[in-house]
Amino acid sequence: MVNFGYTILPVHILELDKADLKLANSITFDEPSFKLCIACGSCTATCTAGTFTNFSFRQMCHQIKLGESTQAIEESEKCMLCGKCTLTCPRNVNTRNIIRLVRKAKQTL
Ligand code: SF4
Ligand code: SF4
């Protein structure tokens, strides 16, 4: 059978009532365009780092919004800060500043 590269995602259970949204709130405060993301995936489709790793800016945003701060910070390290995602984002999300803020959060967590 042809392998198209799609697989079923592993089971992932979240307790949203207990999610720690400190990182999401501080990023929204410092970079309000974070709220404008519609998870369209244009950034991920054009991501330079995504060509060499499994990095996805869109997925990292989801991790932040779900309170998975440690995973988001770890993911942010893969970004090369090339800025292509900023150019392709239809919502003008300041993606590079969000990456910068996520990396900065590593010092406080
Ligand atoms: S391109 Fe912009 S709106 Fe689309 S997922 Fe990326 S950051 Fe969000
Ligand atoms: S700045 Fe980072 S997230 Fe955006 S396209 Fe470049 S490597 Fe990907």
Side-chain angles (χ1 to χ4, degrees):
M1 189 156 76
V2 178
N3 179 0
F4 291 102
Y6 301 112
T7 55
I8 297 171
L9 290 171
V11 177
H12 190 181
I13 298 170
L14 286 164
E15 285 195 61
L16 290 176
D17 288 340
K18 294 182 183 168
D20 178 1
L21 299 179
K22 273 203 296 283
L23 181 60
N25 292 337
S26 79
I27 289 177
T28 306
F29 182 80
D30 291 329
E31 183 49 67
S33 72
F34 181 61
K35 281 190 294 193
L36 300 178
C37 176
I38 51 170
C40 69
S42 299
C43 50
T44 297
T46 54
C47 178
T48 311
T51 308
F52 305 105
T53 69
N54 61 354
F55 179 60
S56 162
F57 182 86
R58 176 176 167 272
Q59 187 186 20
M60 187 199 72
C61 287
H62 276 310
Q63 289 169 333
I64 296 167
K65 288 172 183 172
L66 295 174
E68 298 182 328
S69 310
T70 311
Q71 293 93 321
I73 290 169
E74 204 173 287
E75 280 301 295
S76 74
E77 302 290 342
K78 297 174 184 168
C79 170
M80 300 158 70
L81 293 173
C82 69
K84 248 178 4 182
C85 51
T86 308
L87 297 174
T88 53
C89 178
R91 300 283 287 170
N92 279 334
V93 177
N94 191 342
T95 50
R96 278 203 298 180
N97 194 32
I98 291 169
I99 295 274
R100 191 185 68 78
L101 292 168
V102 175
R103 288 182 178 173
K104 198 172 151 198
K106 187 178 182 178
Q107 295 152 18
T108 52
L109 283 187

